[in-house]
Amino acid sequence: MGDFNEYESGTYMRNKKNNNVSKVPDTDTYVQRLQLSDFLRKPVIRSAIRALQLPLGSRGLDAGCGIGSHTLLLAEAVGPAGHVTGLDLSPEFLAHAREVVKKSSLSEQVSFQKGDVNELPFDENTFDWVWSVDCVGYPTGEFLPLLKELARVVKPGGSAAILAWSSQQLLPGYPLLEARLNATCSAIISFVKGKRPELHFLCALGWFREAGLEEPTAHTFVGDIHAPLSDDLRSALISLFEMLWGEPQPEVSQEDWAEYQRLCLPESPDFILNRPDYYAFFTYSMFRGKVAK
Ligand SMILES: C[S@@+](CC[C@H](N)C(=O)[O-])C[C@H]1O[C@@H](n2cnc3c(N)ncnc32)[C@H](O)[C@@H]1O
């Protein structure tokens, strides 16, 4: 499983309250990757937001908002009477998010705040809903305290939703190569190295139940990609290949590395994105529960 939580470098921070470790990636490369990934992710995230049916006029929190791409989509969904707060650990990402919002027509409906999802800087019952994409659910550590912390700031009857990139098929015709490359990605390698199965994101229904959230549901959204590819999609996929598999890992054989380079590097004569029949997909999974009344 690949995801947008795979950073080559960044700053690790340990939360004093629950000992969870968070990673704030280095800014420039990461902002660029998030911007490119938006070409792939936005339609899928829009579908997830539609499925949530957020009440018009409601107030919500985008926890781990990064550069704010989804904060804006959420603000659109709740309409002019609603409000969305984007929260992130990284002041650089928040500065970027503020710039983007300033240029949009939604600046009155959006605000940003620096903070840690492990210890939210909000009172109990502040929001009607909270949502988090590729943040809560993936950091190393325990999810239960995180979910409880999200639920704490939501009003009774409100909802908490966490989403994460949950799978991809990007190399049509090469399923074994792709499976072997994927097995070395950070989201999977930790399970190869003994991470407890119940800490896998797809076990989140259990975390919701344990956190006391009611009526937990799970739903997966698919992003389809096919030729002909726009320049933006092409760049987004090149960046994704690089992010997923572009760092040679000790577990990857020489043959697989050569195949990766043959298929996934734009300068290769066999570059897979040049195929007129190229088709790929990826998924985002969303878990949601209600805060007890
Ligand atoms: C993979 S990015 C996702 C950003 C955004 N949700 C998106 O999907 O575009 C993860 C974000 O979580 C933030 N983050 C990591 N640990 C955090 C924490 N403990 N509290 C708040 N933000 C955190 C990082 O700074 C980064 O912006």
Side-chain angles (χ1 to χ4, degrees), residues 147-170:
L147 265 186
K148 285 186 175 164
E149 181 61 0
L150 291 186
R152 180 184 70 77
V153 301
V154 175
K155 294 175 189 165
S159 67
I162 58 174
L163 295 90
W165 178 284
S166 50
S167 73
Q168 74 274 338
Q169 289 284 313
L170 304 174

Side-chain angles (χ1 to χ4, degrees), residues 4 7 22 30 41 64 66 70 88-89 93 115-117 133-135:
F4 286 95
Y7 320 123
S22 305
Y30 195 67
R41 301 191 301 154
H70 308 147
D88 204 279
L89 262 185
F93 293 167
D116 187 338
V117 289
V133 183
D134 287 334
C135 179

